[in-house]
Amino acid sequence: MIKEITAKELNTENFIDEKVEEIKQVVGEKMAINALSGGVDSSTVTMLGHRALGERLKTVFIENGLMREGEAEKVVGLFKKLGVAVDVVDAKKEFFAALEGITDPEEKREAITQAFYRDVFGRLVKECGAKHLLQGTILTDIDETVAGIKRQHNVFEQLGIDPEKAFGYHIIEPLIQLRKDGVRKVGEDLGLPAEAFDRIPFPGPALAARVIGETTPERVETVRRATVVVERLLKDTGAFQYMAILHEDRVTGMRDGLRDFGQQIEVRCWESVDARVATPTPLSFKILEKLAGEIIRDVPGIVSVTYNIAPKPPSTIEAV
Ligand code: XMP
């Protein structure tokens, strides 16, 4: 059982000192590596890891072809300002090859896990001689995986998987006792700017968690474009998280007087504290109309835009 530290009882200063010490002890004089996706958890772990290990932590951004528009440049630029060098690793081919032909959500998550930890990280770890991977798993990831709701991409031990045996390196998870609200406090204390610690959560499987059906480069591009619109129009709502989802079913639409058997985008916008339960934000019809108008205008092939009004549970935050 992992002992939860709630955001309320968290003393960030003590927490940071303790974790820095633990990381130093475990890694010793060796090299460690971590993947920075630009999300709140991995950004916080990156700062924590660099405080503990300095140059002995190699930080990489895995360009898996599933990230949001302009994300690699944004993350590299932000961390450069914070004094952390980030290497961008192009792994698009590996990820799309692993996802080819897969439509089942859990199989998709498993394919991403294997591409990430076995193929890409297995190679990177060998190349740089690291023995440890530092990652930002949080308690909510564990809960859902153990409950069998979703296989979160980054959970192993609780599934009886030993990463050392399976992938050849040891995993360190300093944030595992926290939930999202606690991670934000730690991130802020470690010097992350608000644009990093106050960012909406983004899942490890990235935009593949928002494509229902097969994850092809074309379909990811469609959801990526819709994501740009949704994030732009909903950024001032103060909501916990918002996203665009591409559906698999097509519906009959019309364009320029002709039939267009088109695609559908679902918009979700959530109120939540720690992602365990969530309710849809009561967006005004004016905003909903704007979302529909701009998604139809900016995303080729879309003829239907819907807004999700079901809470979690029984929904979950991501569609996949
Ligand atoms: P769900 O969809 O399970 O999401 O209600 C709960 C929160 O977790 C995020 N999420 C993930 N985060 N790896 C992660 O690091 C994952 O595999 C993953 N799946 C979902 C989701 O965005 C939400 O904030």
Side-chain angles (χ1 to χ4, degrees):
M1 250 320 246
I2 299 158
K3 195 183 169 310
E4 175 170 1
I5 303 173
T6 62
K8 219 171 133 198
E9 71 193 5
L10 173 71
N11 176 323
T12 47
E13 227 170 275
N14 290 353
F15 180 88
I16 292 167
D17 287 348
E18 233 170 71
K19 294 299 159 187
V20 163
E21 218 27 64
E22 271 176 40
I23 296 168
K24 277 185 182 164
Q25 291 240 332
V26 174
V27 176
E29 292 306 310
K30 300 195 184 80
M31 277 292 293
I33 187 166
N34 85 305
L36 171 63
S37 68
V40 186
D41 309 338
S42 70
S43 295
T44 302
V45 156
T46 300
M47 295 304 282
L48 200 58
H50 278 274
R51 189 171 286 192
L53 304 172
E55 297 282 301
R56 280 184 300 116
L57 177 65
K58 180 180 165 69
T59 298
V60 295
F61 178 96
I62 309 285
E63 179 46 271
N64 53 17
L66 308 170
M67 303 308 265
R68 285 172 288 184
E69 191 164 283
E71 197 63 16
E73 301 77 42
K74 197 191 277 175
V75 172
V76 171
L78 177 81
F79 276 83
K80 194 171 174 196
K81 279 196 228 147
L82 295 167
V84 174
V86 181
D87 287 353
V88 178
V89 176
D90 184 358
K92 291 194 223 52
K93 274 200 193 118
E94 274 143 309
F95 277 84
F96 282 116
L99 286 163
E100 203 181 325
I102 300 179
T103 55
D104 176 79
E106 288 301 291
E107 283 178 26
K108 228 189 250 185
R109 285 176 168 267
E110 181 60 19
I112 288 170
T113 298
Q114 294 299 334
F116 196 91
Y117 291 92
R118 186 193 59 204
D119 306 345
V120 176
F121 257 99
R123 169 164 55 82
L124 290 175
V125 159
K126 264 195 208 124
E127 281 169 12
C128 77
K131 297 277 178 270
H132 303 273
L133 169 69
L134 213 63
Q135 74 171 14
T137 323
I138 64 171
L139 205 48
T140 322
D141 302 341
I142 307 285
D143 286 349
E144 293 200 358
T145 301
V146 172
I149 296 164
K150 278 185 195 188
R151 163 71 199 275
Q152 304 269 323
H153 78 293
N154 49 1
V155 175
F156 301 102
E157 198 190 312
Q158 292 75 13
L159 293 175
I161 301 167
D162 177 355
E164 213 141 10
K165 281 200 191 116
F167 314 120
Y169 49 83
H170 170 249
I171 298 185
I172 306 173
E173 298 170 311
L175 308 181
I176 203 144
Q177 291 169 278
L178 306 180
R179 296 192 189 270
K180 202 58 105 190
D181 44 353
V183 178
R184 290 196 207 284
K185 281 174 70 176
V186 174
E188 182 176 13
D189 246 39
L190 283 164
L192 284 176
E195 59 178 303
F197 76 76
D198 220 10
R199 226 179 162 191
I200 55 169
F202 190 67
L207 294 175
R210 299 173 181 176
V211 170
I212 301 176
E214 192 181 358
T215 316
T216 63
E218 298 71 34
R219 302 193 73 222
V220 171
E221 183 54 25
T222 299
V223 89
R224 183 181 288 125
R225 288 198 187 193
T227 302
V228 171
V229 176
V230 170
E231 292 197 351
R232 174 162 44 81
L233 293 180
L234 298 184
K235 70 174 187 304
D236 297 327
T237 56
F240 176 80
Q241 198 170 356
Y242 32 85
M243 63 197 65
I245 292 158
L246 176 63
H247 279 224
E248 192 171 22
D249 287 346
R250 288 180 176 253
V251 290
T252 301
M254 56 186 289
R255 212 182 288 274
D256 306 325
L258 295 173
R259 178 180 190 271
D260 183 5
F261 196 42
Q263 305 199 79
Q264 312 191 60
I265 287 287
E266 174 189 330
V267 177
R268 294 184 179 189
C269 182
W270 296 106
E271 300 301 310
S272 181
V273 174
D274 57 18
R276 275 190 288 185
V277 293
T279 52
T281 306
L283 294 177
S284 73
F285 202 77
K286 211 168 141 202
I287 293 187
L288 293 173
E289 271 183 327
K290 214 166 158 65
L291 281 163
E294 296 196 19
I295 289 171
I296 289 164
R297 184 194 67 198
D298 292 355
V299 190
I302 303 300
V303 298
S304 164
V305 178
T306 55
Y307 184 55
N308 177 56
I309 51 171
K312 171 184 178 176
S315 181
T316 58
I317 289 180
E318 307 288 347
V320 166

